[in-house]
Amino acid sequence: MIEGIRRAAAKTASPWVKLGIGDDAALLQVPAGFELLVTTDLCVEDIHFRREWHPAKSVGHRCLARGLSDIAAMGGEPVACFLSLALPPKLPQRWADNFMAGLLQLGRRFRTPLAGGDTSTAAKITADIIVLGKVPAEKALLRSKARSGDRIWVTGELGGSAATLKQLYSGGKISPTVSNRHFYPVPRLEVGRWLQKNNLATAMIDISDGLSVDLAHICEESAVDGVINLDAIPTAKTADLSLALHGGEDYELLFTAPKSATLPKRIAGVLITEIGAIRPCGDRRASVKSKDAAGNLRLLRPEGWEHFSKI
Amino acid sequence: MIEGIRRAAAKTASPWVKLGIGDDAALLQVPAGFELLVTTDLCVEDIHFRREWHPAKSVGHRCLARGLSDIAAMGGEPVACFLSLALPPKLPQRWADNFMAGLLQLGRRFRTPLAGGDTSTAAKITADIIVLGKVPAEKALLRSKARSGDRIWVTGELGGSAATLKQLYSGGKISPTVSNRHFYPVPRLEVGRWLQKNNLATAMIDISDGLSVDLAHICEESAVDGVINLDAIPTAKTADLSLALHGGEDYELLFTAPKSATLPKRIAGVLITEIGAIRPCGDRRASVKSKDAAGNLRLLRPEGWEHFSKI
């Protein structure tokens, strides 16, 4: 198992990884002038995915995509990933092979070698992905830097992943094609780096739990209020407004930029849309409000997607 | 849960962690002239520990100790740790609190703040610990640098952890005292750093799987043979030679040093013992042999501790 992973991982080289799998720890170089980003994300069978719904390749892809998306949300560039993987003893080898293929394929696309990890057995498939990234010193895009007057922007379209999940829940058959953002989400790394390099965003987060939850995180960390225009939300064709507001796992970027900033229509080919504005915190606690076409303001409760935990 | 961990983690400050828990990724500084060490270790309930045998505090301690021991084995200094933790929904909060207390207490002792992670639910307690460390550039102690003629050394005593585990298996009652190396192993960080700073070791590994397995790793990676003197093995009072040779989880350091090197009797207060020598690889595959008092050589098969996986 380890040897197979080691061989597969050896195909993705990186100038930052001096020593990968095979010693007590991996050895990395962080170039001068950069800071290190570290993120970990757990994927547990029947909580984050189901074997009957998600092909192994999609599970491996989604696992790494979650971590890469966190690096994108900091404006960073991935350096290497690490995988701790626990598998049931009776799991077909083919499942493990396809899982690794999905993970490593996405890693090659974004120059993120697998540099180490651990393996174990477990009753349920459990994968913990650790992604290390780098960002120029003092330049990481945090959640805490949104300022009153900033505009709120989002990449791509929202709700598509949740729409697919809703169909799966209701027994619908969905082909897990590569273009389906639920099965094969693409982290917005180029957009994140472009925003960092051009100094255009004040705060940023990736939409993993849902717009309502993740915007609330920015508002809480920045001690501001957010107001979003309901008719401006870019909603996926397959989704409705509720899924676009509360559906998770789209892995789009949500960011704030000064009112005066001039942003292009697309960044690295990805549509970006202005969806609202940051206001001073009107209460002791930061809040998010929605504004409809008539101008009515309503509190938007964070109702993020609860994964599968309540099934 | 996350908030509780965040508060608890905030107590251990580090000059290397610029931003800990609370954003998409943690932000770390690696000082110029240093390389980064990264290690991940999975702990799964009923595989690596049993709730009826191991108090939660011991499980948390052991979890971080495994990662710190990997950093010690590279001659490094820990910088920060990250924890991905999946817990059963019905687990008493007290268990989680004690687990975190054990982990964070060891973290404080070795200046290793918890800087991030992830949480989830799962049927079995699953903890993945990630430890980042630093080591002066080009100075990490690898498994692959043992040379023919080197002497083989080990810290402390071997077999004690396995002896406790054997007692637990056979239904014996053992008080999980802090001084018991099975329940509260202390990573040999000071010894590892001392050897690195004094340029005295050629190769190093920590004994997590057992002397026979871990020495085989050094021999394979260095393409050499190892010969150990059976009557030189420092065996714990509670253990026998077999447990000292094959029992895992002692987290002592196993290292090689040139024949000409003068080593003290103790390093950082820890006894060190010369147990054998490195020889040229006598066959296509590296091997480990044992030598008894009469001088008879026998192949020593790697028979590392199999954790609980075969129960």
Side-chain angles (χ1 to χ4, degrees):
Chain A
M1 172 79 186
I2 286 282
E3 270 309 305
I5 293 176
R6 197 171 171 174
R7 277 194 303 275
K11 290 176 190 162
T12 306
S14 162
W16 319 121
V17 180
K18 282 193 64 176
L19 184 71
I21 300 170
D23 216 302
D24 295 291
L27 204 54
L28 280 82
Q29 282 172 310
V30 179
F34 284 84
E35 287 166 352
L36 185 74
L37 300 166
V38 186
T39 177
T40 86
D41 287 281
L42 265 174
C43 282
V44 182
E45 183 181 358
D46 295 338
I47 304 289
H48 298 90
F49 68 92
R50 287 188 181 180
R51 255 195 268 177
E52 64 267 35
W53 289 351
H54 298 90
K57 202 174 167 186
S58 158
V59 178
H61 177 108
R62 284 160 50 94
C63 176
L64 180 55
R66 284 179 69 196
L68 290 176
S69 183
D70 285 326
I71 300 297
M74 302 294 280
E77 185 181 358
V79 166
C81 67
F82 296 80
L83 175 69
S84 286
L85 184 62
L87 299 176
K90 288 185 181 171
L91 186 79
Q93 183 59 40
R94 195 186 158 86
W95 197 98
D97 292 344
N98 288 336
F99 170 90
M100 289 309 300
L103 190 150
L104 293 171
Q105 192 174 319
L106 185 66
R108 281 192 295 277
R109 176 164 169 188
F110 290 107
R111 294 165 193 270
T112 310
L114 180 64
D118 194 14
T119 55
S120 175
T121 53
K124 298 277 182 181
I125 298 163
T126 306
D128 189 35
I129 189 85
I130 299 96
V131 183
L132 269 61
K134 66 185 175 72
V135 66
E138 310 290 338
K139 293 290 187 185
L141 288 165
L142 311 184
R143 297 179 179 179
S144 55
K145 302 287 183 186
R147 292 295 168 258
S148 178
D150 283 355
R151 297 304 186 241
I152 304 169
W153 295 79
V154 71
T155 61
E157 295 178 334
L158 302 181
S161 181
T164 293
L165 201 52
K166 197 176 167 186
Q167 275 188 277
L168 289 168
Y169 268 120
S170 61
K173 282 271 173 214
I174 297 183
S175 172
T177 54
V178 173
S179 62
N180 183 311
R181 205 160 164 85
H182 175 73
F183 292 103
Y184 294 96
V186 179
R188 299 299 193 193
L189 283 158
E190 295 95 342
V191 179
R193 284 187 75 193
W194 190 94
L195 288 166
Q196 179 268 307
K197 281 185 177 171
N198 288 279
N199 261 315
L200 282 172
T202 47
M204 186 149 70
I205 194 171
D206 69 322
I207 301 185
S208 50
D209 293 331
L211 174 62
S212 61
V213 170
D214 291 315
L215 180 54
H217 285 316
I218 284 190
C219 291
E220 282 159 19
E221 296 289 333
S222 300
V224 294
D225 280 359
V227 179
I228 56 173
N229 303 314
L230 291 181
D231 51 0
I233 310 289
T235 305
K237 264 184 231 168
T238 51
D240 57 22
L241 183 62
S242 172
L243 289 175
L245 287 172
H246 306 296
E249 300 188 337
D250 279 317
Y251 300 111
E252 297 292 350
L253 293 177
L254 175 68
F255 62 95
T256 54
K259 188 181 172 181
S260 60
T262 308
L263 282 122
K265 283 194 177 170
R266 288 175 181 272
I267 298 174
V270 180
L271 190 75
I272 63 165
T273 309
E274 186 182 320
I275 61 166
I278 297 294
R279 297 195 177 170
C281 196
D283 205 339
R284 252 188 268 176
R285 214 188 146 127
S287 70
V288 176
K289 293 190 178 73
S290 67
K291 190 157 84 173
D292 63 19
N296 300 310
L297 283 174
R298 296 180 81 170
L299 195 67
L300 184 71
R301 283 183 203 286
E303 288 178 27
W305 197 258
E306 293 279 333
H307 295 298
F308 303 37
S309 54
K310 286 188 178 168
I311 302 170
Chain B
M1 172 77 186
I2 286 282
E3 269 310 306
I5 294 177
R6 196 171 171 172
R7 277 194 302 275
K11 288 176 193 162
T12 307
S14 163
W16 318 120
V17 180
K18 282 192 65 176
L19 183 71
I21 300 170
D23 215 302
D24 295 290
L27 204 54
L28 280 82
Q29 282 172 310
V30 179
F34 283 84
E35 288 166 351
L36 185 74
L37 300 166
V38 186
T39 178
T40 87
D41 287 281
L42 266 173
C43 283
V44 182
E45 183 180 358
D46 294 337
I47 304 288
H48 298 90
F49 68 92
R50 286 188 181 180
R51 254 194 268 177
E52 65 267 35
W53 289 351
H54 298 90
K57 202 173 168 189
S58 158
V59 178
H61 177 108
R62 285 161 49 95
C63 177
L64 180 55
R66 286 180 69 195
L68 290 175
S69 182
D70 285 327
I71 300 298
M74 302 293 281
E77 185 180 357
V79 166
C81 67
F82 296 78
L83 176 69
S84 286
L85 184 62
L87 300 175
K90 288 184 181 170
L91 186 79
Q93 182 60 39
R94 194 185 161 85
W95 198 98
D97 291 344
N98 288 338
F99 170 90
M100 290 308 301
L103 190 148
L104 293 171
Q105 192 175 317
L106 186 66
R108 280 191 297 276
R109 176 165 169 189
F110 290 108
R111 294 167 194 269
T112 310
L114 179 65
D118 194 13
T119 55
S120 174
T121 53
K124 298 276 182 182
I125 298 163
T126 307
D128 189 35
I129 190 83
I130 298 95
V131 182
L132 270 60
K134 66 185 176 71
V135 67
E138 310 289 339
K139 294 289 188 187
L141 288 166
L142 311 184
R143 298 178 179 180
S144 54
K145 303 287 183 188
R147 293 294 167 259
S148 178
D150 283 356
R151 296 304 186 240
I152 304 170
W153 295 79
V154 72
T155 62
E157 295 179 335
L158 303 181
S161 181
T164 294
L165 200 53
K166 198 176 166 185
Q167 275 189 275
L168 290 168
Y169 268 121
S170 61
K173 282 271 173 214
I174 298 184
S175 172
T177 54
V178 174
S179 62
N180 183 311
R181 204 157 166 86
H182 176 75
F183 292 105
Y184 294 96
V186 179
R188 299 299 192 193
L189 282 158
E190 294 95 343
V191 180
R193 284 188 74 193
W194 190 94
L195 287 167
Q196 178 269 306
K197 280 187 177 169
N198 289 281
N199 261 315
L200 282 173
T202 47
M204 188 150 67
I205 192 170
D206 68 323
I207 302 185
S208 51
D209 294 330
L211 174 62
S212 61
V213 170
D214 292 315
L215 180 55
H217 286 316
I218 283 189
C219 291
E220 281 157 22
E221 296 290 332
S222 299
V224 293
D225 281 358
V227 179
I228 56 173
N229 304 314
L230 291 180
D231 51 0
I233 310 288
T235 303
K237 264 184 232 166
T238 51
D240 58 21
L241 184 62
S242 172
L243 288 174
L245 287 172
H246 306 297
E249 301 189 336
D250 278 316
Y251 300 111
E252 296 293 350
L253 293 177
L254 175 69
F255 61 97
T256 54
K259 188 181 172 182
S260 60
T262 309
L263 281 121
K265 282 194 177 170
R266 288 177 181 270
I267 298 174
V270 181
L271 189 75
I272 64 166
T273 309
E274 187 182 322
I275 61 167
I278 297 293
R279 296 196 178 171
C281 195
D283 203 340
R284 253 189 266 174
R285 218 191 141 126
S287 71
V288 176
K289 292 190 179 71
S290 66
K291 189 158 83 174
D292 64 20
N296 300 309
L297 282 174
R298 296 182 81 171
L299 195 68
L300 184 71
R301 285 182 199 286
E303 287 177 28
W305 197 257
E306 293 279 333
H307 295 298
F308 303 38
S309 54
K310 287 187 176 168
I311 302 170

